[in-house]
Amino acid sequence: MLSRLHPLPKLALCLIWIGASLLVFDLQFQLAALALAFFLLWGVERIALWKLLALMVPFALFGFGFLTTSVLFQRDSGYAVQMAREQGALKADLSPGLVLFTRVLACGMISALFALTTDAGRLVRALMHHLRLPAPVGFAILQAMHLVPDLCREMQSLRMARAMRQGQGLRRIPRPNELMALVIPLLAFAIRRATRAAIAMEARGLHPGSRRSQLPQPGMTPLDFVASACGLLILFIVLHLI
Amino acid sequence: MTCAPPPDAAAARGLSIRYPYAQADALGPLDFTVETGERVLLLGPSGCGKSTVLHALTGLLPSAIPATRTGRLQLFGADVDTRSPAEWADRVAFLFQDVEQTLVGFTVADEVAFALENRAHPPHTMAAAVAEAMTRARLPENWHARRIATLSGGQKQLVALAATLAQGGDLVIADEPTASLAPHAAHLLAECILAPGRTALIVDHRLGPLLDRIDRVVVLAPSGRLLVEGSVDKVFAHHGATLVAEGIWTPAAVRLRQKLQDAGHPIPPLWRVEDLAAHLPPGLDLAPFLLPPPCTPGPEVVRLEHADCAPPFGPVVLRDISLSLHAGQVLGIMGPNGAGKSTLAACLAGLAPPKAGLRQGPPGALAFQNPEAHFSTDSPRAELALLGLAPDRIARALGDWGLSAQADQHPFTLSMGQKRRLALALLTETDRWPVLILDEPTAGLDLRGAAHVAACLRALAQAGRALAVITHDADFALSVCDRVVVLAEGGIAAEGRASTILGDSAVLHSVGLAPPEVAPLLHRTTLVRC
């Protein structure tokens, strides 16, 4: 259902929640934001649990740094922890590191909520259409999205050729030295591909600064307004309750 | 009072182009015209400057591609430099060779609308224009919001065709547009961009679907100068021998006529297989001219038994495959786009072990479609040295593969034909791999390059290697393969002797493949093949 929403109001709502998460230094609020984003992704969008947990790993590692710093080195706690104490919103029995930890997780889960329920092409189109993102920039972003699977295919060929030469099996995760050896050929491939794409765009009339129109895009629907209002209402209620 | 004739759509006078740091011109001096309402086919051997001409026409070269251009170049009576390449897009539609790398939109509708948006086409009529172009290119209506990334190579080419039709220029320029298309799609493309009254300049090696719709053929020599021009009949029937000698693609009938002439069977000038059939000496066995020399299959080298094949770390795409490769034999692997040909190749080579079933045999080598995947040093000499070859053996190998002059050049700067030859040299100049599989080895090659690859394959087979070739080109498969396997819908659709499978139009059409051009003559082959 969230995938059907217009990307721009969804982006605005997610940014508001992330902003609130950054400003409100309260464990309950962070847990509520985390739980809500998790519920929407797992319960509503039916995203696999393992995928959500895997997505949270980098955020958890980052947040864990705050937690350990706060718990193990209270005197030497970092700037963020110090600022948290000065905000005065912290209850005495709770470690500020725990709040920072959950805040990172909440922000990460809200970001994942947006990324996993938004069509990247539609987002770029909406940015070009409504927020005047320059067309060359917009189409360059779309090209970058096309490049990723192409690079993966090219890397697969390069790895197979190397494995064949060396008489070894193909490892699922390449070793660091293998990755280093792939950098130059992949870079050459990416540059060549980007050059061809740029030439094709120019040949088909894309010119910086020239006037251009836009293929009409699906606009906002009542569902977008309802969803945005609900998101804001829930935020207000949560803020009121803590 | 008489109306002045419309100016030529394109005209070049003394056109020469030289790339930076090159010692000689890549093209020209060249004079040619494309009249309004004329459909011109541009031919020439690899590296003669065909794509250079196309890029120069709208000024992309030298504005986006560094080069020095001399001579006069006009579009619709105006010097090409009076407008930028982007501004010419309102009159000239460009269909690029490699659509995989030149599609710009995220969805099909984005792609088709792109040129219209750039021309500030009114938004309220744009959706209708997009829908009309999609209908003409026979794209399903529900593809409107489909992501480009989910399409196959052939489907992307059709989307590019729809985008070209939506652009609606007065002149269409197309660089090898039918290269990755299924036969019906290639005919549709020819129908759309070469309709009577349209003005088009097209470069293509796959001549079958085009020639009936071409008004004039312009042929470039290896030097980038004009070799011959004229009607299809004049160029192919009367200058066929010259074209074959220069390594330029011609209809199969022209090549076969040349072989027959060389063998002492005079045939009048012609270019259609149907005409050739009427002039063949009675009782002449065409097998020596169309099929590889007879061979005796050696021992089995690799065997797949009820194998489920999948690309490395990917899902299964072929199920229950039972197949064997024999020493001294060449197996052709054919099938529509996405049938799993490359996956089968990786499985046969042992690079992607089957998910189920069995693969028996030594590790093999796979020559990738992109030959650059094989290069890891800074020169062909260094690449061969990595195999552990002695300097005299390296020099001999470079000479055998026609790479002596490029021995110390960076592999990435070689031409496509040279890169392909180097990749093959790296896989065959060592005895390490008794099994060799080649993925589209003739892609991007001219007739001479393809003939060289064919000769190498037969020589390797004769030396006892087990070989398999993935190819879309049925005529090439017929000339080098002893057996052919056709893949479709996740399995083997047909397998057997090459001349039998490739002579069975019903089987080939059922999986969307085109029979070889010489298929009507296969009943004149009588020798028993292996």
PDB file of all heavy atoms in Angstrom, chain B residues 414-442:
ATOM      1  N   LEU B 414      42.604  -1.912 -28.502  1.00  0.00           N
ATOM      2  CA  LEU B 414      42.519  -2.669 -29.754  1.00  0.00           C
ATOM      3  C   LEU B 414      41.108  -2.566 -30.334  1.00  0.00           C
ATOM      4  O   LEU B 414      40.153  -2.240 -29.615  1.00  0.00           O
ATOM      5  CB  LEU B 414      42.849  -4.146 -29.496  1.00  0.00           C
ATOM      6  CG  LEU B 414      44.227  -4.462 -28.890  1.00  0.00           C
ATOM      7  CD1 LEU B 414      44.332  -5.954 -28.599  1.00  0.00           C
ATOM      8  CD2 LEU B 414      45.334  -4.038 -29.845  1.00  0.00           C
ATOM      9  N   SER B 415      40.986  -2.880 -31.635  1.00  0.00           N
ATOM     10  CA  SER B 415      39.647  -2.924 -32.237  1.00  0.00           C
ATOM     11  C   SER B 415      38.928  -4.170 -31.723  1.00  0.00           C
ATOM     12  O   SER B 415      39.556  -5.063 -31.136  1.00  0.00           O
ATOM     13  CB  SER B 415      39.759  -2.996 -33.757  1.00  0.00           C
ATOM     14  OG  SER B 415      40.195  -4.277 -34.149  1.00  0.00           O
ATOM     15  N   MET B 416      37.607  -4.232 -31.966  1.00  0.00           N
ATOM     16  CA  MET B 416      36.843  -5.376 -31.451  1.00  0.00           C
ATOM     17  C   MET B 416      37.374  -6.690 -32.020  1.00  0.00           C
ATOM     18  O   MET B 416      37.509  -7.684 -31.306  1.00  0.00           O
ATOM     19  CB  MET B 416      35.361  -5.191 -31.803  1.00  0.00           C
ATOM     20  CG  MET B 416      34.462  -6.319 -31.325  1.00  0.00           C
ATOM     21  SD  MET B 416      34.644  -6.726 -29.581  1.00  0.00           S
ATOM     22  CE  MET B 416      33.630  -5.489 -28.813  1.00  0.00           C
ATOM     23  N   GLY B 417      37.708  -6.691 -33.322  1.00  0.00           N
ATOM     24  CA  GLY B 417      38.227  -7.907 -33.937  1.00  0.00           C
ATOM     25  C   GLY B 417      39.549  -8.320 -33.304  1.00  0.00           C
ATOM     26  O   GLY B 417      39.785  -9.508 -33.039  1.00  0.00           O
ATOM     27  N   GLN B 418      40.415  -7.340 -33.061  1.00  0.00           N
ATOM     28  CA  GLN B 418      41.715  -7.642 -32.442  1.00  0.00           C
ATOM     29  C   GLN B 418      41.535  -8.139 -31.012  1.00  0.00           C
ATOM     30  O   GLN B 418      42.205  -9.084 -30.576  1.00  0.00           O
ATOM     31  CB  GLN B 418      42.600  -6.391 -32.465  1.00  0.00           C
ATOM     32  CG  GLN B 418      43.052  -6.017 -33.871  1.00  0.00           C
ATOM     33  CD  GLN B 418      43.551  -4.581 -33.949  1.00  0.00           C
ATOM     34  OE1 GLN B 418      43.312  -3.767 -33.069  1.00  0.00           O
ATOM     35  NE2 GLN B 418      44.242  -4.270 -35.044  1.00  0.00           N
ATOM     36  N   LYS B 419      40.612  -7.510 -30.276  1.00  0.00           N
ATOM     37  CA  LYS B 419      40.360  -7.963 -28.899  1.00  0.00           C
ATOM     38  C   LYS B 419      39.877  -9.412 -28.901  1.00  0.00           C
ATOM     39  O   LYS B 419      40.302 -10.225 -28.079  1.00  0.00           O
ATOM     40  CB  LYS B 419      39.270  -7.086 -28.252  1.00  0.00           C
ATOM     41  CG  LYS B 419      39.754  -5.733 -27.787  1.00  0.00           C
ATOM     42  CD  LYS B 419      38.590  -4.943 -27.230  1.00  0.00           C
ATOM     43  CE  LYS B 419      38.998  -3.511 -26.947  1.00  0.00           C
ATOM     44  NZ  LYS B 419      37.874  -2.651 -26.621  1.00  0.00           N
ATOM     45  N   ARG B 420      38.970  -9.715 -29.827  1.00  0.00           N
ATOM     46  CA  ARG B 420      38.426 -11.068 -29.865  1.00  0.00           C
ATOM     47  C   ARG B 420      39.522 -12.081 -30.216  1.00  0.00           C
ATOM     48  O   ARG B 420      39.590 -13.166 -29.655  1.00  0.00           O
ATOM     49  CB  ARG B 420      37.286 -11.119 -30.878  1.00  0.00           C
ATOM     50  CG  ARG B 420      36.178 -12.032 -30.453  1.00  0.00           C
ATOM     51  CD  ARG B 420      34.948 -11.867 -31.272  1.00  0.00           C
ATOM     52  NE  ARG B 420      34.082 -10.806 -30.833  1.00  0.00           N
ATOM     53  CZ  ARG B 420      33.366 -10.826 -29.711  1.00  0.00           C
ATOM     54  NH1 ARG B 420      33.419 -11.851 -28.916  1.00  0.00           N
ATOM     55  NH2 ARG B 420      32.591  -9.799 -29.388  1.00  0.00           N
ATOM     56  N   ARG B 421      40.401 -11.695 -31.136  1.00  0.00           N
ATOM     57  CA  ARG B 421      41.490 -12.603 -31.515  1.00  0.00           C
ATOM     58  C   ARG B 421      42.444 -12.815 -30.341  1.00  0.00           C
ATOM     59  O   ARG B 421      42.902 -13.927 -30.083  1.00  0.00           O
ATOM     60  CB  ARG B 421      42.253 -12.036 -32.727  1.00  0.00           C
ATOM     61  CG  ARG B 421      41.448 -12.059 -34.010  1.00  0.00           C
ATOM     62  CD  ARG B 421      42.357 -12.123 -35.227  1.00  0.00           C
ATOM     63  NE  ARG B 421      43.183 -10.946 -35.400  1.00  0.00           N
ATOM     64  CZ  ARG B 421      42.809  -9.839 -36.011  1.00  0.00           C
ATOM     65  NH1 ARG B 421      41.598  -9.755 -36.517  1.00  0.00           N
ATOM     66  NH2 ARG B 421      43.625  -8.816 -36.127  1.00  0.00           N
ATOM     67  N   LEU B 422      42.723 -11.729 -29.608  1.00  0.00           N
ATOM     68  CA  LEU B 422      43.613 -11.863 -28.452  1.00  0.00           C
ATOM     69  C   LEU B 422      42.984 -12.773 -27.396  1.00  0.00           C
ATOM     70  O   LEU B 422      43.670 -13.632 -26.814  1.00  0.00           O
ATOM     71  CB  LEU B 422      43.919 -10.477 -27.863  1.00  0.00           C
ATOM     72  CG  LEU B 422      44.770 -10.467 -26.595  1.00  0.00           C
ATOM     73  CD1 LEU B 422      46.114 -11.153 -26.819  1.00  0.00           C
ATOM     74  CD2 LEU B 422      44.999  -9.044 -26.086  1.00  0.00           C
ATOM     75  N   ALA B 423      41.687 -12.588 -27.153  1.00  0.00           N
ATOM     76  CA  ALA B 423      41.013 -13.429 -26.150  1.00  0.00           C
ATOM     77  C   ALA B 423      41.093 -14.900 -26.563  1.00  0.00           C
ATOM     78  O   ALA B 423      41.371 -15.777 -25.727  1.00  0.00           O
ATOM     79  CB  ALA B 423      39.564 -13.001 -25.993  1.00  0.00           C
ATOM     80  N   LEU B 424      40.881 -15.166 -27.844  1.00  0.00           N
ATOM     81  CA  LEU B 424      40.954 -16.553 -28.325  1.00  0.00           C
ATOM     82  C   LEU B 424      42.383 -17.086 -28.217  1.00  0.00           C
ATOM     83  O   LEU B 424      42.595 -18.249 -27.845  1.00  0.00           O
ATOM     84  CB  LEU B 424      40.481 -16.638 -29.776  1.00  0.00           C
ATOM     85  CG  LEU B 424      38.963 -16.601 -29.973  1.00  0.00           C
ATOM     86  CD1 LEU B 424      38.613 -16.623 -31.450  1.00  0.00           C
ATOM     87  CD2 LEU B 424      38.315 -17.787 -29.272  1.00  0.00           C
ATOM     88  N   ALA B 425      43.340 -16.231 -28.527  1.00  0.00           N
ATOM     89  CA  ALA B 425      44.742 -16.662 -28.420  1.00  0.00           C
ATOM     90  C   ALA B 425      45.061 -17.065 -26.976  1.00  0.00           C
ATOM     91  O   ALA B 425      45.725 -18.074 -26.733  1.00  0.00           O
ATOM     92  CB  ALA B 425      45.664 -15.527 -28.872  1.00  0.00           C
ATOM     93  N   LEU B 426      44.564 -16.280 -26.018  1.00  0.00           N
ATOM     94  CA  LEU B 426      44.854 -16.564 -24.607  1.00  0.00           C
ATOM     95  C   LEU B 426      44.262 -17.903 -24.165  1.00  0.00           C
ATOM     96  O   LEU B 426      44.794 -18.564 -23.273  1.00  0.00           O
ATOM     97  CB  LEU B 426      44.293 -15.447 -23.718  1.00  0.00           C
ATOM     98  CG  LEU B 426      44.943 -14.071 -23.896  1.00  0.00           C
ATOM     99  CD1 LEU B 426      44.222 -13.023 -23.063  1.00  0.00           C
ATOM    100  CD2 LEU B 426      46.409 -14.134 -23.503  1.00  0.00           C
ATOM    101  N   LEU B 427      43.154 -18.284 -24.790  1.00  0.00           N
ATOM    102  CA  LEU B 427      42.501 -19.528 -24.380  1.00  0.00           C
ATOM    103  C   LEU B 427      43.016 -20.741 -25.139  1.00  0.00           C
ATOM    104  O   LEU B 427      42.852 -21.874 -24.689  1.00  0.00           O
ATOM    105  CB  LEU B 427      40.980 -19.414 -24.587  1.00  0.00           C
ATOM    106  CG  LEU B 427      40.282 -18.307 -23.805  1.00  0.00           C
ATOM    107  CD1 LEU B 427      38.800 -18.284 -24.109  1.00  0.00           C
ATOM    108  CD2 LEU B 427      40.496 -18.470 -22.317  1.00  0.00           C
ATOM    109  N   THR B 428      43.622 -20.499 -26.308  1.00  0.00           N
ATOM    110  CA  THR B 428      43.990 -21.647 -27.147  1.00  0.00           C
ATOM    111  C   THR B 428      45.500 -21.887 -27.245  1.00  0.00           C
ATOM    112  O   THR B 428      45.912 -22.954 -27.687  1.00  0.00           O
ATOM    113  CB  THR B 428      43.438 -21.460 -28.576  1.00  0.00           C
ATOM    114  OG1 THR B 428      43.933 -20.231 -29.096  1.00  0.00           O
ATOM    115  CG2 THR B 428      41.932 -21.447 -28.597  1.00  0.00           C
ATOM    116  N   GLU B 429      46.303 -20.899 -26.856  1.00  0.00           N
ATOM    117  CA  GLU B 429      47.764 -21.089 -26.964  1.00  0.00           C
ATOM    118  C   GLU B 429      48.334 -21.883 -25.797  1.00  0.00           C
ATOM    119  O   GLU B 429      49.521 -21.943 -25.599  1.00  0.00           O
ATOM    120  CB  GLU B 429      48.469 -19.727 -27.062  1.00  0.00           C
ATOM    121  CG  GLU B 429      48.268 -19.007 -28.384  1.00  0.00           C
ATOM    122  CD  GLU B 429      48.842 -19.751 -29.582  1.00  0.00           C
ATOM    123  OE1 GLU B 429      49.880 -20.434 -29.430  1.00  0.00           O
ATOM    124  OE2 GLU B 429      48.245 -19.686 -30.672  1.00  0.00           O
ATOM    125  N   THR B 430      47.452 -22.395 -24.985  1.00  0.00           N
ATOM    126  CA  THR B 430      47.877 -23.275 -23.904  1.00  0.00           C
ATOM    127  C   THR B 430      47.064 -24.563 -23.997  1.00  0.00           C
ATOM    128  O   THR B 430      45.940 -24.544 -24.486  1.00  0.00           O
ATOM    129  CB  THR B 430      47.663 -22.602 -22.524  1.00  0.00           C
ATOM    130  OG1 THR B 430      47.705 -23.587 -21.523  1.00  0.00           O
ATOM    131  CG2 THR B 430      46.340 -21.884 -22.443  1.00  0.00           C
ATOM    132  N   ASP B 431      47.622 -25.640 -23.525  1.00  0.00           N
ATOM    133  CA  ASP B 431      46.909 -26.924 -23.580  1.00  0.00           C
ATOM    134  C   ASP B 431      46.069 -27.142 -22.329  1.00  0.00           C
ATOM    135  O   ASP B 431      45.564 -28.245 -22.088  1.00  0.00           O
ATOM    136  CB  ASP B 431      47.915 -28.079 -23.723  1.00  0.00           C
ATOM    137  CG  ASP B 431      48.667 -27.978 -25.032  1.00  0.00           C
ATOM    138  OD1 ASP B 431      48.081 -27.458 -25.997  1.00  0.00           O
ATOM    139  OD2 ASP B 431      49.839 -28.408 -25.081  1.00  0.00           O
ATOM    140  N   ARG B 432      45.937 -26.102 -21.556  1.00  0.00           N
ATOM    141  CA  ARG B 432      45.303 -26.249 -20.253  1.00  0.00           C
ATOM    142  C   ARG B 432      43.834 -26.668 -20.344  1.00  0.00           C
ATOM    143  O   ARG B 432      43.324 -27.358 -19.475  1.00  0.00           O
ATOM    144  CB  ARG B 432      45.413 -24.886 -19.559  1.00  0.00           C
ATOM    145  CG  ARG B 432      45.254 -24.934 -18.103  1.00  0.00           C
ATOM    146  CD  ARG B 432      45.614 -23.599 -17.523  1.00  0.00           C
ATOM    147  NE  ARG B 432      44.787 -23.289 -16.398  1.00  0.00           N
ATOM    148  CZ  ARG B 432      44.711 -22.109 -15.840  1.00  0.00           C
ATOM    149  NH1 ARG B 432      45.421 -21.111 -16.326  1.00  0.00           N
ATOM    150  NH2 ARG B 432      43.938 -21.894 -14.811  1.00  0.00           N
ATOM    151  N   TRP B 433      43.157 -26.177 -21.394  1.00  0.00           N
ATOM    152  CA  TRP B 433      41.712 -26.407 -21.474  1.00  0.00           C
ATOM    153  C   TRP B 433      41.357 -27.271 -22.689  1.00  0.00           C
ATOM    154  O   TRP B 433      41.388 -26.772 -23.820  1.00  0.00           O
ATOM    155  CB  TRP B 433      40.979 -25.069 -21.561  1.00  0.00           C
ATOM    156  CG  TRP B 433      41.120 -24.247 -20.333  1.00  0.00           C
ATOM    157  CD1 TRP B 433      40.651 -24.541 -19.091  1.00  0.00           C
ATOM    158  CD2 TRP B 433      41.771 -22.982 -20.216  1.00  0.00           C
ATOM    159  NE1 TRP B 433      40.976 -23.540 -18.208  1.00  0.00           N
ATOM    160  CE2 TRP B 433      41.647 -22.574 -18.870  1.00  0.00           C
ATOM    161  CE3 TRP B 433      42.431 -22.142 -21.110  1.00  0.00           C
ATOM    162  CZ2 TRP B 433      42.177 -21.374 -18.403  1.00  0.00           C
ATOM    163  CZ3 TRP B 433      42.945 -20.954 -20.646  1.00  0.00           C
ATOM    164  CH2 TRP B 433      42.825 -20.579 -19.308  1.00  0.00           C
ATOM    165  N   PRO B 434      40.991 -28.508 -22.469  1.00  0.00           N
ATOM    166  CA  PRO B 434      40.561 -29.338 -23.605  1.00  0.00           C
ATOM    167  C   PRO B 434      39.154 -28.985 -24.088  1.00  0.00           C
ATOM    168  O   PRO B 434      38.745 -29.427 -25.154  1.00  0.00           O
ATOM    169  CB  PRO B 434      40.593 -30.764 -23.027  1.00  0.00           C
ATOM    170  CG  PRO B 434      40.456 -30.592 -21.557  1.00  0.00           C
ATOM    171  CD  PRO B 434      41.021 -29.262 -21.201  1.00  0.00           C
ATOM    172  N   VAL B 435      38.454 -28.198 -23.284  1.00  0.00           N
ATOM    173  CA  VAL B 435      37.094 -27.786 -23.646  1.00  0.00           C
ATOM    174  C   VAL B 435      37.081 -26.277 -23.799  1.00  0.00           C
ATOM    175  O   VAL B 435      37.572 -25.549 -22.934  1.00  0.00           O
ATOM    176  CB  VAL B 435      36.086 -28.171 -22.534  1.00  0.00           C
ATOM    177  CG1 VAL B 435      34.678 -27.795 -22.944  1.00  0.00           C
ATOM    178  CG2 VAL B 435      36.194 -29.628 -22.206  1.00  0.00           C
ATOM    179  N   LEU B 436      36.522 -25.817 -24.890  1.00  0.00           N
ATOM    180  CA  LEU B 436      36.487 -24.370 -25.149  1.00  0.00           C
ATOM    181  C   LEU B 436      35.083 -23.982 -25.586  1.00  0.00           C
ATOM    182  O   LEU B 436      34.535 -24.581 -26.511  1.00  0.00           O
ATOM    183  CB  LEU B 436      37.509 -24.049 -26.245  1.00  0.00           C
ATOM    184  CG  LEU B 436      37.736 -22.596 -26.593  1.00  0.00           C
ATOM    185  CD1 LEU B 436      38.209 -21.835 -25.370  1.00  0.00           C
ATOM    186  CD2 LEU B 436      38.774 -22.481 -27.699  1.00  0.00           C
ATOM    187  N   ILE B 437      34.526 -22.978 -24.907  1.00  0.00           N
ATOM    188  CA  ILE B 437      33.179 -22.522 -25.252  1.00  0.00           C
ATOM    189  C   ILE B 437      33.246 -21.037 -25.587  1.00  0.00           C
ATOM    190  O   ILE B 437      33.825 -20.245 -24.827  1.00  0.00           O
ATOM    191  CB  ILE B 437      32.204 -22.781 -24.084  1.00  0.00           C
ATOM    192  CG1 ILE B 437      32.094 -24.298 -23.892  1.00  0.00           C
ATOM    193  CG2 ILE B 437      30.832 -22.217 -24.383  1.00  0.00           C
ATOM    194  CD1 ILE B 437      32.047 -24.721 -22.500  1.00  0.00           C
ATOM    195  N   LEU B 438      32.676 -20.674 -26.719  1.00  0.00           N
ATOM    196  CA  LEU B 438      32.757 -19.278 -27.175  1.00  0.00           C
ATOM    197  C   LEU B 438      31.363 -18.667 -27.193  1.00  0.00           C
ATOM    198  O   LEU B 438      30.434 -19.228 -27.781  1.00  0.00           O
ATOM    199  CB  LEU B 438      33.367 -19.202 -28.584  1.00  0.00           C
ATOM    200  CG  LEU B 438      34.820 -19.642 -28.692  1.00  0.00           C
ATOM    201  CD1 LEU B 438      34.895 -21.131 -29.011  1.00  0.00           C
ATOM    202  CD2 LEU B 438      35.537 -18.873 -29.772  1.00  0.00           C
ATOM    203  N   ASP B 439      31.233 -17.519 -26.543  1.00  0.00           N
ATOM    204  CA  ASP B 439      29.943 -16.830 -26.455  1.00  0.00           C
ATOM    205  C   ASP B 439      29.896 -15.730 -27.517  1.00  0.00           C
ATOM    206  O   ASP B 439      30.601 -14.722 -27.406  1.00  0.00           O
ATOM    207  CB  ASP B 439      29.793 -16.251 -25.038  1.00  0.00           C
ATOM    208  CG  ASP B 439      28.364 -15.814 -24.744  1.00  0.00           C
ATOM    209  OD1 ASP B 439      27.554 -15.757 -25.692  1.00  0.00           O
ATOM    210  OD2 ASP B 439      28.069 -15.518 -23.571  1.00  0.00           O
ATOM    211  N   GLU B 440      29.073 -15.897 -28.517  1.00  0.00           N
ATOM    212  CA  GLU B 440      28.896 -14.935 -29.617  1.00  0.00           C
ATOM    213  C   GLU B 440      30.248 -14.451 -30.166  1.00  0.00           C
ATOM    214  O   GLU B 440      30.551 -13.254 -30.146  1.00  0.00           O
ATOM    215  CB  GLU B 440      28.069 -13.718 -29.153  1.00  0.00           C
ATOM    216  CG  GLU B 440      26.644 -14.034 -28.766  1.00  0.00           C
ATOM    217  CD  GLU B 440      25.719 -14.329 -29.945  1.00  0.00           C
ATOM    218  OE1 GLU B 440      26.181 -14.258 -31.095  1.00  0.00           O
ATOM    219  OE2 GLU B 440      24.558 -14.670 -29.700  1.00  0.00           O
ATOM    220  N   PRO B 441      31.055 -15.364 -30.687  1.00  0.00           N
ATOM    221  CA  PRO B 441      32.411 -14.954 -31.091  1.00  0.00           C
ATOM    222  C   PRO B 441      32.456 -14.044 -32.313  1.00  0.00           C
ATOM    223  O   PRO B 441      33.496 -13.447 -32.574  1.00  0.00           O
ATOM    224  CB  PRO B 441      33.095 -16.288 -31.409  1.00  0.00           C
ATOM    225  CG  PRO B 441      31.992 -17.215 -31.768  1.00  0.00           C
ATOM    226  CD  PRO B 441      30.810 -16.790 -30.966  1.00  0.00           C
ATOM    227  N   THR B 442      31.348 -13.931 -33.072  1.00  0.00           N
ATOM    228  CA  THR B 442      31.403 -13.081 -34.274  1.00  0.00           C
ATOM    229  C   THR B 442      30.740 -11.727 -34.061  1.00  0.00           C
ATOM    230  O   THR B 442      30.693 -10.927 -34.992  1.00  0.00           O
ATOM    231  CB  THR B 442      30.724 -13.782 -35.471  1.00  0.00           C
ATOM    232  OG1 THR B 442      29.358 -14.031 -35.126  1.00  0.00           O
ATOM    233  CG2 THR B 442      31.404 -15.082 -35.817  1.00  0.00           C
TER     234      THR B 442
END
